[in-house]
Structure formats: structure tokens, C-alpha cells
Amino acid sequence: MIARFLLQNMDRRGAVFLALVAAIMLLVPLSNLLLPPSSVFHVPTSAMSLWGKYLCFALLAISLDLVWGYCGILSLGHGAFFALGGYAMGMYLMRQIGSRGVYGNPILPDFMVFLNWKELPWYWYGFDSFLFAMLMVLLVPGLLAFVFGWFAFRSRVTGVYLSIITQALTYALLLAFFRNDMGFGGNNGLTDFKDILGFSVQAQTTRAALFAITCLMLMAGFLIARGIVVSKLGKVVIAIRDAESRTRFLGYRVDRFKLFVFTVSACMAGVAGALYVPQVGIINPSEFAPANSIETVIWVAIGGRGTLVGAALGAVVVNYAKTIFTSGFMAPYWLFALGGLFVFVTLFMPKGILGAVQGWSAGRGRRGREPAATAPAAAE
Amino acid sequence: MNTAISTAAPASQQLTSALLYLDGVSVSFDGFKAIRGLSLTIEPGEMRAIIGPNGAGKTTMMDIITGKTRPDTGTVLFAGSIDLTKLDEAAIANLGIGRKFQKPTVFDFHSIEDNILLALKANRSVGRTLFWKTANADARRIDEILGIIKLGDARERLAGSLSHGQKQWLEIGMLLAQDPKLLLVDEPAAGMTDGETAETAVLLKEIARDHSVIVVEHDMGFIRELGVKVTVLHEGSVLAEGPLDLVSANERVVEVYLGR
């Protein structure tokens, strides 16, 4: 039943996307591990980790597109769920350091020893277990989204007001995690990771495995999000986006539908954050910065809102551009470039890169495709 | 959905035989009394036309019945015993009260077929909706409704591309798909050609055979074609009630409509 749910009405765009990610998942780690560094097809480990980071952002973008593109909930705080997933992973990785820290304390992470703490705070319990930590990666962002959404959606907070309180949410978490006495490493966050499941996080093979797992999770996230949006629930969610009160008069409890997609989306963002942390080697409060969440919205808008694939594409394109522009002589102008890109896309490609590409291919004499965000009707 | 009524009804006493019972309902917005002491009963199977000048409270009355607005005072009972003032929009819709808006509101980015599918009577829970599979009976019902509203050939088209009149019909189709016990239809003939208006009257009469219907309309010709009991609202309460000829002969009604 799950397979049928995930694969129902698979269109060509989705299939191409999955095939592409699957190919990257196999080829990049293999070329990194098997080909000699002198080969032109060799992917250096640093580049692999960099692209692994982009793919984490792609998963985050898909999660945001699910709520914004399809349900019309413009969350300006999705970075919070990403960061919470990241912190859950970071706490596991901290506990794996054991007595190899600078202070050699077998239980307490270095920053707690430094703060003169005598014992582990209760909320760090259990994070030495990988399974528990993975559960928290899903549960903490999911629960926060559920509680937040419960109040917001039941009180019918919508539009710009909702965007503002999501922004406030991530900002509040930013301030909280900055505090040393919160017990999450304050300003410096969590870093100096050593092992993950007994494998060194620095090892080339571990990096390759992390990259492959990121690809796998990106595919899984895409399949889940796609399964949701092409289902009847997806149609309800689009209906809510376009005519919320009409949907209510049809007998749908709008708040529950919103809560469902918002919570699923937050869990997905948490997974993205958890995969991000071991690949970049650090998680700190700056991940909660409101600007990060807003940037995620820009990725989705640039790639093509309400298409899922476009969101992933936008995340990779913008972050690749960011890597290029922030190194070298262009560095001081990155934000201008990003702003310019956003303005350009908004003005000339209102449906994002994907929408524009589809428009061009439809314009070359081929039959017009369905516009974005409309799933083909169930053919059963 | 049906079960909600059948389980709720025996629990409390049947207070009235009417399907819809409004008594002494008042509501005010910022001191302005939109509805004052409105009383109205609709019997099962009845079709009722409601007329009244602008600002008479027609739309506010519909808002109260469908749970969008809470009355300050008064009783609103459905099926004899269910207090509608305590329920929200979704619960009321699931009880079997469907509403068509004055401005046709359809889901522009869904196909015509999907608009009907979304309205189709079914379990509205998140889980059931997520794993929904259109059964043959559902598909047949959708075909049937598309036939009734004459949009069968356009089923794949996006609802946003329809003309105004077609949107009105699609919305009536969505009401049919909901299969409510009571239909509230707000100005179904607004913006329609004479031909379309006549066809809409036929369609509504057909629907009224096995549903209770409240029609709010300005178009007297349309009301005449429906040939049903008429309630005239004025300044938030009932001014006159009866057959159209009788009502339109009423001096007060003429005065309200034509000014003195």
C-alpha cells in the first residue's frame, strides 16, 4: 500500500528527478572512492561534501514547498526545524566523542566542562543512542510544528501574520540557543565531531556514505511529498491554498489538514538538518537566523513554487551560485547577486526556473502541459 | 456524517418538526443590527425563496446558518434538535447543509472533475482523505453530476477557465455532490443570460424534489419561475411571507422595494 501511495500517478518530471538523484547517489561516491585523484572524473571529497550540503538544502526546500507551494502557508521559520534536526544529530555526535575531548571527560562535552557543569542535563540523556537521536530528529521539529500549528491554525492565523510569527519563532530559538546556560554550546554550538556509528566522520568512506544517504533521503522526501500532493488530501490542500473558507464550507477541517502538512514538512526539514551537520562538521545558533529561512523561500521561488522538483532545483542552483560568488573577487557582492536573481526571477519567470523551462518546451510546438501544482486527475 | 444526526437526534428531544428552525435571532456588527429578531422555519423537502433589498440581512442569515457568524441571541436548530450556533463551518457542512456563494467560488486550479470530487460526500478526515481511492460508485456519481450540470465534456479543464455562468453551475454541481439535506443558494442567477437563468430554475426545481432548498435572489422573474413560497426580509427581520403574488401585493413590501 505504501509503495502504491508513493508511486501513484508518477509523471515524467518526477521520474526524471528520481533517476537523476539515484544516478548521483551511485556515481559520485563511486568516483570518489574508486577513481584515482588524477582522473578527470574523480570527485574530490571536499566537493562531495559540498554537494551533499546542497542536497540537504534541496530536501529542506522540498519540505518548504510542500507547505508554501501547495498549502499557501508561507513559513519564514523553516530553518528552525532544520536547525533542531541538526542539533539532535549534533548532540548524538557530541556524545560519541567520549573522553577524546580536550578535557577528556567521558560523559560531559567540552563546553559543559568549561562551564563547570557537574553532570549532564536531563535533556541530553539518551542521545548516546543513535536510534534515540534519530527519533528526536523527527520528533523534536515535528512536535514543535504540531504545537505551534495547533494554536496558529485553530486560531485561523493566516497570511502575513502567520509568516511573521514563524519568523518570530525561529528568532526566539536563535536567541535561546545563543545562551550558554541552555546547554547547547551557546554561540559556538556543537562541533569537533569524531565518530558516527563508530566510523570517523572525517573518513572518505564515511563522507561517501553520508552523501549516498543524503541522496536516498532526498528521494524519500520527494516521494513522500509527491505522494501527499497527488493524493486527494493534496487536492484538498491546494483547495485550501486557493479558497480556504470554501473548503471549510465543504466540510473539511482546514486546521487539521494544515497541521498535517506542516508537521510532515517540519519532520522532513529536521531530517535535512540532521544530514547537514555531519557533512559540514558543525551546528550553531546561526542556523536559526531568520535570514536562512528567508533564503530558503527564495530557493523555492527561484526554482518554481508548487512543483517540488523546482524547489530542489532552486536550492542547488542558488547554493552553487553562492559558492561561486562568495569566493574570489565577487565575494562582497553576493547578496546583491542573490537579490538581483530574486528580482529577475520574480519579474521574468514568475513560475520559477522549472515553470519557465516548461513554458519554453511547450512553446516549441508541443502540446501545452498542465500548469504547475495541478496533479493529473486520478485515472482509476 | 449522516450518523452524526441519527446518533445526536435520540439523545436530545425533537423540539420541532422543521428541518431548519430560526427563532428570535439577532446579530449586530459594531452596533449595527444586521439581523433583529429573525424567525423562520423550513420544512423538510421545502423550497423557499428569500428576497429583500440590499442590506436586508440575507447573506448574514446564511452566515449564521452555516456557522460563519455566531448570533448574539436566538435559537437556530437543524433537524429539530441540533443547535447550529455551537458548531463550526466544517461540522455544519458535514451535518448536511451545503452553501453556494453569491460570487461563484470554485477551485480555479483544479479540474472541473476534481472540484466535484472534493465536494463529493465522503469521510472528511485527514487519514481517509490521504489514502482515498475513487471507487466505481464515486466515479459514476461524478459522471452523473457532470452530466446534470452539462460540463461532462469539459471535465479535464481547469475550473478557473470557465465562464461566470458555468462556474455558477459547477458550484451547484458541487452542492449536489455534497448531497446535503438543506441547500443554501445565494443568487444563483446573478450574471446569467436569460436562457441560463431559465435553465438554472429548472435545475433548482429538480434538486428541490429530494432536497430542502433556500434560494436568495433579486431576480423576480426567476422567483416567479420557481413558483415557491417567498419570504421578504427587511432590516434584519421578516416583513412578509407567502406566495409571490400575495407578497408583491403587500403594501409594505412595495414601499420597501420602491421607496415611498
Side-chain angles (χ1 to χ4, degrees), chain A residues 175-190:
Chain A
L175 295 179
F177 275 73
F178 254 124
R179 293 161 55 93
N180 279 329
D181 50 10
M182 273 285 282
F184 296 107
N187 192 8
N188 299 317
L190 311 173

Side-chain angles (χ1 to χ4, degrees), chain B residues 131-181:
Chain B
F131 295 108
W132 169 268
K133 223 176 149 323
T134 308
N136 288 331
D138 301 322
R140 273 199 303 275
R141 181 73 186 134
I142 292 174
D143 291 343
E144 198 183 322
I145 291 168
L146 288 174
I148 294 173
I149 58 172
K150 301 189 171 82
L151 289 171
D153 297 334
R155 57 195 303 157
E156 307 258 309
R157 263 172 69 191
L158 291 185
S161 70
L162 291 178
S163 73
H164 181 82
Q166 284 173 316
K167 279 187 188 173
Q168 297 272 37
W169 279 57
L170 176 56
E171 213 183 352
I172 293 174
M174 289 165 74
L175 267 185
L176 279 175
Q178 269 180 277
D179 192 20
K181 297 189 172 47

Side-chain angles (χ1 to χ4, degrees), chain B residues 51-78:
Chain B
I51 58 173
N54 285 327
K58 304 184 296 283
T59 301
T60 311
M61 182 197 74
M62 291 213 170
D63 285 346
I64 289 171
I65 298 170
T66 52
K68 195 180 175 198
T69 303
R70 298 234 180 284
D72 301 331
T73 56
T75 316
V76 185
L77 291 178
F78 181 64

Side-chain angles (χ1 to χ4, degrees), chain A residues 1 4-5 156 227-228 231-236 238-239 241-243 245-253 256-257 260 370-375 377-378 380, chain B residues 66 68 88-91 93-94 97 99 101 105-107 109-111 113-114 117-120 122 124-126 129-134 156 158 171 174 178:
Chain A
M1 185 171 102
R4 210 191 59 204
F5 174 76
R156 301 193 182 172
I228 289 173
S231 73
K232 188 182 168 197
L233 182 137
K235 296 186 206 294
V236 173
I238 291 170
R241 178 193 70 190
D242 295 336
S245 79
R246 185 76 186 89
T247 316
R248 209 174 268 135
F249 284 116
L250 281 182
Y252 293 100
R253 297 209 166 273
R256 294 190 192 164
F257 284 82
F260 174 77
E370 281 196 71
T374 53
E380 276 148 354
Chain B
T66 52
K68 195 180 175 198
D88 66 2
E89 295 102 314
N94 285 328
I97 298 182
R99 179 174 186 180
F101 290 80
T105 321
V106 295
F107 303 119
F109 284 93
H110 278 311
S111 66
E113 193 174 18
D114 281 348
L117 170 70
L118 284 172
L120 198 68
R124 302 286 206 234
S125 76
V126 171
T129 312
L130 183 59
F131 295 108
W132 169 268
K133 223 176 149 323
T134 308
E156 307 258 309
L158 291 185
E171 213 183 352
M174 289 165 74
Q178 269 180 277

Side-chain angles (χ1 to χ4, degrees), chain A residues 8-279:
Chain A
Q8 60 184 331
N9 302 322
M10 178 61 76
D11 57 348
R12 220 185 64 186
R13 194 172 69 198
V16 167
F17 176 76
L18 286 170
L20 193 69
V21 179
I24 293 171
M25 174 177 81
L26 291 175
L27 294 179
V28 170
L30 284 180
S31 109
N32 173 261
L33 294 175
L34 298 182
L35 294 177
S38 54
S39 164
V40 278
F41 296 111
H42 175 78
V43 179
T45 309
S46 60
M48 187 169 63
S49 283
L50 191 64
W51 280 85
K53 192 175 93 171
Y54 297 162
L55 296 180
C56 291
F57 289 150
L59 182 56
L60 173 63
I62 286 179
S63 81
L64 180 72
D65 196 25
L66 180 62
V67 291
W68 182 39
Y70 291 89
C71 199
I73 304 168
L74 175 54
S75 168
L76 292 181
H78 246 54
F81 305 124
F82 180 84
L84 285 171
Y87 265 95
M89 176 60 105
M91 286 162 81
Y92 163 76
L93 295 170
M94 289 307 271
R95 296 297 309 273
Q96 295 307 297
I97 297 172
S99 51
R100 286 169 294 177
V102 178
Y103 297 108
N105 189 312
I107 304 286
L108 295 186
D110 277 348
F111 73 88
M112 291 188 192
V113 180
F114 184 75
L115 290 170
N116 249 329
W117 289 19
K118 295 293 171 240
E119 53 184 36
L120 204 62
W122 61 267
Y123 46 83
W124 275 75
Y125 291 169
F127 276 96
D128 48 335
S129 149
F130 183 73
L131 269 180
F132 178 84
M134 290 310 101
L135 199 64
M136 288 302 130
V137 162
L138 290 171
L139 220 58
V140 172
L143 203 68
L144 177 69
F146 186 85
V147 173
F148 179 87
W150 174 271
F151 288 110
F153 301 141
R154 276 180 67 92
S155 321
R156 301 193 182 172
V157 180
T158 53
V160 68
Y161 301 100
L162 187 85
S163 302
I164 290 170
I165 56 172
T166 52
Q167 181 97 107
L169 172 80
T170 195
Y171 191 62
L173 284 166
L174 168 78
L175 295 179
F177 275 73
F178 254 124
R179 293 161 55 93
N180 279 329
D181 50 10
M182 273 285 282
F184 296 107
N187 192 8
N188 299 317
L190 311 173
T191 187
D192 288 332
F193 307 133
K194 301 279 193 274
D195 293 347
I196 178 166
L197 285 171
F199 303 102
S200 162
V201 286
Q202 300 300 334
Q204 196 182 357
T205 45
T206 315
R207 297 259 160 178
L210 281 169
F211 181 87
I213 293 168
T214 307
C215 292
L216 210 60
M217 285 300 150
L218 180 60
M219 289 195 286
F222 173 71
L223 279 172
I224 292 170
R226 210 198 61 86
I228 289 173
V229 300
V230 302
S231 73
K232 188 182 168 197
L233 182 137
K235 296 186 206 294
V236 173
V237 160
I238 291 170
I240 292 171
R241 178 193 70 190
D242 295 336
E244 181 168 333
S245 79
R246 185 76 186 89
T247 316
R248 209 174 268 135
F249 284 116
L250 281 182
Y252 293 100
R253 297 209 166 273
V254 167
D255 51 338
R256 294 190 192 164
F257 284 82
K258 283 185 173 179
L259 194 55
F260 174 77
V261 286
F262 194 60
T263 307
V264 169
S265 164
C267 293
M268 213 180 274
V271 171
L275 289 163
Y276 171 83
V277 168
Q279 298 191 72

